[in-house]
Amino acid sequence: VLMGIVLHAVYMMSIFDIYFKSPIVHGIDPVTPRITPPAERLVLFIADGLRADKFFELDTVEKPRAPFLRSIIYEKGRWGVSHARPPTESRPGHVAIIAGFYEDPSAVTKGWKANPVEFDSVFNRSRHTYAFGSPDILPIFCGGLNHCSWSSYPHEYEDFATDASFLDEWSFDHFRGLLNKSNEDHVLKQLLHQDKLVIFLHLLGCDTNGHAHRPYSSIYLNNVKVVDKGVEETYNLIEEYFKDNRTAYIFTADHGMSDKGSHGDGHPTNTDTPLVAWGAGIQKPRLATSESSTDIGLRFVDEHTHDMPTPPAWDLKSIERVDVNQADIAPLMTTLLGLPSPLNSVGSLPMEYLNLNKEEQAEAAFANAKQILNQFLHKFQLKQSRSLHFRPFGPLTRHHIFVEEIEKLISSRQYEAALHSTQDLITLSLAGLHYFQTYDWFALMTTITMGYLGWMVYVILHVLKCYTSFLATPYETRLKTGANEVRNKRVRIFGGLLMVLFSVILLIERSPPLYHIYLGVAIFLWTAIFSDSSFIQALWRALQVSRLILIAKLMAMCIVSFLILELLVSSFFERRIYSGVFLIAGIVGAVVVSCNTPGLSMVPAFVWASCWFISGFTLMPAEIPDHTQLVVFSGIILVLIAISVRSFDCMLPKQDPWHRIISGLKHKRGVSWRLFISQIILVILSSAMVWISTTYRAQKRQLLLFHQLINWFLAGFSMVLPLFSSHRLLDRLSSIFLGFGPAFLLLSIGYEALFYSALAIVLISWILVECAILYLPFSKTQGVGLPDQNTVDKEDTRQRNHRFLKLSDVRIALCFLILINVAFFGTGNVASIASFEISSVYRFITIFNPFIMAALLLFKLFIPFILVTCAFSAITNLAKLPRLGCYFMVLLFSDVMTIHFFFLVRNTGSWMEIGNSISHFGIMSAQVVFILLLFAITNIYTKDIQTGLSSHKEV
């Protein structure tokens, strides 16, 4: 167990060494384009959260929402759509525009709040930068920059309850104030008249209004007009101030906005942003022709199909449209100012925007290509200096020939050929960067996979040795011989030497310390496996002499188990799979019980109905709507289910096989029923408190402290009562269901309260099905009396309370894993805490306290797991299974899923998609501890459960 905890804890960290390494490198030489800068200064407008369609389309009266910028498109500049790459968030979007690279995956270690590695930007390269806007964006680029003057409004201004367009006006007004101030401040005026000047106006209004009012609201659409007016006034102000026609202007957005008022994923409403450029160095508008189609295949980073004519609603079909990737804007800005591109930029210079002659175009493109090539060369040299066996990137092994060829083409004035060659060099350099970014992936992923496989084989051997009857066979006498001991010792020595050898290699290559641990754990496990070669040989010999039917059963069990586990993996992405699983399980369970039950019985119908009832919950939305009446009704349903279970137990004839299995010793009925009635009263009171507490909230009245104390008492006291209930199987389980019911009801807001009852009856059905499989066949062949322990176990009992594991016991571990996952995803998605409503805790606490609220929310999620584990413990008791052996079987199956999720971790996409992929892997990795914790907690409630079989000898 300890080894499993260590392995999963260490290997959980491996995804950060594999998937989330920063691509940013330092120590690269800048490349200045050999051209005369067409502009002395550049003005960058970024309208945060502005969708391309809402900007370009005409309004309801067929007039443009941004008349000034539309006039620029028709008369003075170039336009297109800038395609952002997910995650479409403000920080990554601004970094792509200003620094030229996309989201650094290592930002996950900062909770996506900041770039963890320092990076270069257009502002760094400028002679001076003036910036105005949001306090969330400006410090990212200007915080530690001496030649940057910036001003931002207070955080309190970002109020979602108001029209946020005043934030844009704040930026425009403060820039106007800067120019007015320069008329009196000669030092400031001199700074403003320098070349290589950047002016950045961050406009947050559209983003804030989009979140608060949605992007189709009149407030958002009016904000577009506010932005257009501000840009027009700023343009006129600058042209009047400088009077030299040496200013270039770029207008764009960092991301769009979905119809729901959110952003982050790769939907076109989030990735498509407007781009308008005009002024010094910018090409004039061109009429659209059939040759100027914007369909250029898979060039764009948002991974959409771009066979898109300009929508008729935009009324811009007559003007040529030039789409770009968002990171392409950074080299466009630096080229206009004659600056080197940011050192880590991966953008490709959009030549269609530049008003340069052919020679200048070739030189600018060549500088862009060399800057990206320099990044490749730096990573090439870094990896080569640290690798004993270096594998270069084949297409660029002779990169200097590419450079020399482009130099010759430019010198000989073959500019078109030079442009094509530079584009090829950029493509190869970007591919080379990806190659070295993933250079260690194969070795690391192989090591981690071998470690997991070694752990799984180690667990299988441990289970076979300690929890099966294999060592009770004649093969046991062959295991401990002198020759075997010598062989095992040699294996351990070889494993130790191999570990030392690889550690030395990793030290020479200056690999991180965790690399040593990853490899060391894998070697240790496989050494432990092969050092027990005598047992493996005995196992192999046993399989060779086994009957064909046994091998066929083993293969069938492996295939079925694998298919079920793959279904469980798929269920993390599609909850509706469980609906199909339970529809099938209901039929199979009913048939199994019918075939094993003597006479007529309602149990098969109960099993079928319970499975079909729970199948509907995974079809419901993960976002749980408020429904107080349903929560109260669920309390009544829970009481009726508990009464039905107890009635079933009490009304069975004493000679009925079901009675003999699920009933233990005689007990005091009076005490048991008094406790049962007390628990029913607590559930009814909890339902009443749900109604009262919700009524107070609906009336905007503060929940009284007295009410909160009652809720705390009901939830806490009810969980203690099951400890005093009868030891009979169904008595104790129904008491546990009632005991956790009040807490779950008080923490419920909608249909999840009904799910609690559905889960309870499915667990009862599971127990009844296992009873039918394990014991009822004996009742049919031997009359109504139960077999003694020796008959059931076929004399393979290892110790007084447990029997050996069998191949058929695999189904119990698989059922437990399925039900645990249903508890995860039955009413939400535990991989994303956003699926669960914080309003669930308002009946216990109304004053904001994140720690108590989080604890209550997690406890609510924990309750279904406790129910499933209690049922599992009851079944292990019923079947006389060793719980630790079952734990290892469950862990083995969960690790099959863990390996799958290890390969599904992603470092691209929205933050939610990346976070969910990490959560899925983390959830499965943590099951080694989580399930052990569940066993420890539920053992308090289930350790003294008695069944008909456990009391048979005493009776």
Side-chain angles (χ1 to χ4, degrees), residues 622-787:
E623 295 80 14
I624 302 173
D626 287 2
H627 201 310
T628 306
Q629 294 90 338
L630 186 58
V631 177
V632 175
F633 177 71
S634 300
I636 300 171
I637 294 294
L638 180 59
V639 169
L640 294 176
I641 290 172
I643 293 173
S644 301
V645 171
R646 292 295 289 265
S647 300
F648 172 78
D649 187 15
C650 295
M651 294 172 62
L652 283 173
K654 289 185 178 181
Q655 298 305 313
D656 190 285
W658 290 108
H659 184 276
R660 299 297 305 279
I661 294 168
I662 61 181
S663 299
L665 294 168
K666 293 181 179 180
H667 60 287
K668 297 179 180 179
R669 288 278 182 186
V671 175
S672 176
W673 277 103
R674 282 196 294 270
L675 181 65
F676 181 66
I677 292 170
S678 299
Q679 289 188 286
I680 287 178
I681 292 172
L682 289 174
V683 171
I684 293 172
L685 287 175
S686 299
S687 299
M689 289 306 300
V690 166
W691 183 269
I692 294 171
S693 302
T694 307
T695 302
Y696 267 74
R697 281 188 57 214
Q699 295 174 354
K700 308 295 183 182
R701 297 164 61 189
Q702 184 177 2
L703 190 63
L704 298 177
L705 178 62
F706 175 68
H707 291 156
Q708 295 180 41
L709 291 175
I710 291 176
N711 291 339
W712 281 102
F713 171 78
L714 290 173
F717 184 65
S718 62
M719 288 187 290
V720 178
L721 293 182
L723 298 174
F724 303 97
S725 63
S726 167
H727 297 169
R728 288 155 52 100
L729 177 63
L730 289 185
D731 283 3
R732 176 55 64 93
L733 286 180
S734 61
S735 182
I736 291 171
F737 296 152
L738 287 173
F740 285 94
F744 199 83
L745 288 173
L746 289 167
L747 286 167
S748 297
I749 61 171
Y751 74 80
E752 81 273 30
L754 198 58
F755 172 78
Y756 182 89
S757 299
L759 182 63
I761 60 174
V762 162
L763 296 176
I764 296 293
S765 297
W766 182 27
I767 292 171
L768 295 177
V769 170
E770 290 299 332
C771 288
I773 294 173
L774 291 168
Y775 300 118
L776 286 180
F778 293 102
S779 301
K780 294 172 70 175
T781 58
Q782 301 179 16
V784 295
L786 284 173

Side-chain angles (χ1 to χ4, degrees), residues 134-206:
S134 169
D136 298 316
I137 297 299
L138 299 191
I140 297 174
F141 303 96
C142 305
L145 207 57
N146 293 328
H147 60 275
C148 181
S149 304
W150 58 285
S151 180
S152 64
Y153 38 78
H155 280 286
E156 292 75 23
Y157 280 25
E158 299 174 14
D159 187 353
F160 289 92
T162 62
D163 181 353
S165 59
F166 77 95
L167 298 176
D168 301 340
E169 294 171 345
W170 185 97
S171 297
F172 293 130
D173 291 343
H174 276 68
F175 174 68
R176 185 184 298 108
L178 177 76
L179 295 187
N180 292 336
K181 182 181 177 182
S182 69
N183 293 324
E184 302 172 0
D185 187 336
H186 297 292
V187 175
L188 175 59
K189 190 165 189 175
Q190 188 176 1
L191 284 173
L192 287 171
H193 280 82
Q194 292 181 114
D195 63 349
K196 299 177 175 36
L197 179 74
V198 175
I199 297 167
F200 172 44
L201 298 181
H202 176 251
L203 313 172
L204 187 62
C206 287

Side-chain angles (χ1 to χ4, degrees), residues 558-571 814 817 890 892-897 900:
C558 291
I559 293 171
V560 171
S561 299
F562 181 77
L563 292 176
I564 290 174
L565 293 173
E566 287 303 301
L567 270 179
L568 291 180
V569 169
S570 301
S571 71
L814 282 173
L817 202 57
V890 171
L892 179 66
F893 291 136
S894 69
D895 278 336
V896 174
M897 298 173 64
H900 195 139

Side-chain angles (χ1 to χ4, degrees), residues 548-582:
L548 188 61
I549 187 65
L550 177 62
I551 297 175
K553 285 182 179 179
L554 180 62
M555 293 297 296
M557 183 65 74
C558 291
I559 293 171
V560 171
S561 299
F562 181 77
L563 292 176
I564 290 174
L565 293 173
E566 287 303 301
L567 270 179
L568 291 180
V569 169
S570 301
S571 71
F572 276 67
F573 307 98
E574 185 54 72
R575 295 166 60 235
R576 288 179 293 182
I577 287 174
Y578 289 114
S579 299
V581 169
F582 277 106

Side-chain angles (χ1 to χ4, degrees), residues 22-78:
S22 176
I24 298 173
V25 292
H26 298 101
I28 305 170
D29 295 328
V31 180
T32 304
R34 296 176 297 192
I35 63 172
T36 301
E40 287 191 2
R41 68 198 68 85
L42 180 136
V43 182
L44 173 63
F45 304 95
I46 297 183
D48 204 309
L50 179 57
R51 271 169 58 161
D53 58 341
K54 298 302 180 186
F55 173 77
F56 288 121
E57 69 186 12
L58 302 178
D59 61 17
T60 54
V61 293
E62 299 297 316
K63 289 188 177 180
R65 293 198 178 96
F68 170 71
L69 287 169
R70 180 170 286 262
S71 69
I72 293 293
I73 292 171
Y74 276 103
E75 300 168 8
K76 296 184 179 180
R78 301 287 270 163

